Amino acid sequence: MPDKVTIATIARLAGVSVPTVSRVVNGRSDVSPQTRERVEQLLARHGYRRRPPSMRASSGLIDLVFNDLDSPWAVEIIRGVEDVAHAAGVGTVVSAIHRRTSSARQWLHNLRVRSTEGVIFVTSALEAPLQAELSRLNLPVVIVDPAGMPPQEAPAIGATNWVGSLRATEYLLGLGHRRIGFIGGPAHLMCSRARLDGYRAALEAAGLSVHDELIRPGNFYHEAGFTAGDRLLSLPDPPTAIFAASDQMALGAYEAVRRRGLRVPDDVSVVGFDDLPEARWCSPPLTTVRQPLAEMGMLAARTVLRLARGERTESRRVELTTELVVRDSAARPAG
């Protein structure tokens, strides 16, 4: 019967998201002509009853979901998403699900009761139950810097981690360093694996062996950088340079150098990855690989809004360019 037809039913039949059908119903202009025509035909065929204008929903939201929010790079991504969302007249809801099932359940409950245009996940592994529920809700999903291989239907935004790491290691090699320590990120993240692979590739291309004792695990945070840096400097033949897979770990390595009565870069060179704002203001200013975090957030927001309008994306995987930013934390080896 006509009064049983819902927006979700029309969205499923049209192969678009619920927010897209909602925009057609509410007479908004931000829907492609082809999608609008398809939805209008289904609305008419199934006798959907539009609500009076006074009862129609207001503009929607973008859900931006992190595992955690205790890192400066999260702020950079939020800034990029917010710039695009604000220009589009869309709000942003920022959540952290902390890898806990209870947090994910609560977030899904909140998602069902608000008008969401789509969801952006940052370095999150989409578990099967979560994927299934998002599919049922027919909401567009975009993943930034995915932890693993994203679902085939979900666009992914990343950066050229391998190339960035290769260039940073080549830079240290060009300064004359031959024993270069590496502090990696969480092993389950694709970006961590790519950065380690870039480091390895640069050493091998230079004809150098990759020594396991020079590779230390980390988690992108200061404490891990300090611990790994201290262990590297404790080796009988310590490295003359340390390449950390995040700026925060690089600054942790700074402290490990300082506590040994050594100096950066006179005694030990240090290079980071991310180019967070603090990289410019530490002492000495940090040489690092710039990861375009705000731009990644902006592209993710544009993509999720396009999908919500029923448009297609040109590519399912986009990698933005990284670049080496040379400052004062690396120099030729002492002696």
Side-chain angles (χ1 to χ4, degrees), residues 74-300:
V75 175
E76 295 299 300
I77 292 175
I78 292 170
R79 183 165 60 84
V81 172
E82 264 289 295
D83 284 350
V84 171
H86 178 76
V90 175
T92 306
V93 177
V94 180
S95 305
I97 57 176
H98 306 291
R99 301 185 185 277
R100 292 198 297 264
T101 302
S102 59
S103 297
R105 279 201 302 263
Q106 182 62 49
W107 173 75
L108 279 172
H109 170 75
N110 295 337
L111 189 70
R112 294 186 195 102
V113 299
R114 58 178 172 250
S115 176
T116 295
E117 304 286 333
V119 183
I120 299 171
F121 286 97
V122 183
T123 60
S124 296
L126 288 183
E127 304 295 337
L130 188 57
Q131 288 185 42
E133 181 62 16
L134 291 170
S135 178
R136 191 186 71 78
L137 294 172
N138 212 11
L139 285 172
V141 173
V142 175
I143 304 174
V144 177
D145 218 1
M149 291 303 294
Q152 287 188 346
E153 67 277 7
I157 313 296
T160 54
N161 290 288
W162 185 88
V163 173
S165 182
L166 179 82
R167 296 286 178 258
T169 309
E170 287 178 337
Y171 175 70
L172 290 170
L173 290 168
L175 290 174
H177 296 279
R178 291 299 177 265
R179 283 186 64 79
I180 301 171
F182 180 81
I183 307 174
H188 69 282
L189 295 181
M190 288 180 65
C191 62
S192 299
R193 298 197 294 268
R195 293 172 198 179
L196 175 58
D197 289 345
Y199 160 82
R200 290 178 180 273
L203 293 179
E204 290 168 356
L208 299 175
S209 300
V210 178
H211 298 287
D212 289 342
E213 73 269 16
L214 291 178
I215 300 174
R216 296 291 174 177
N219 60 8
F220 291 156
Y221 294 103
H222 294 96
E223 295 83 356
F226 171 76
T227 299
D230 187 62
R231 289 178 179 173
L232 286 168
L233 296 174
S234 297
L235 292 171
D237 185 10
T240 59
I242 295 174
F243 173 31
S246 78
D247 286 352
Q248 287 183 287
M249 293 195 301
L251 297 182
Y254 267 37
E255 181 62 12
V257 172
R258 187 192 69 81
R259 290 197 188 184
R260 288 178 172 270
L262 304 174
R263 293 178 298 175
V264 176
D266 305 69
D267 303 298
V268 183
S269 291
V270 178
V271 173
F273 201 112
D274 281 332
D275 196 26
L276 298 175
E278 61 188 307
R280 296 171 52 205
W281 301 107
C282 60
S283 181
L286 178 66
T287 293
T288 185
V289 178
R290 181 179 183 272
Q291 184 175 202
L293 295 166
E295 291 90 336
M296 290 161 69
M298 294 174 70
L299 180 57

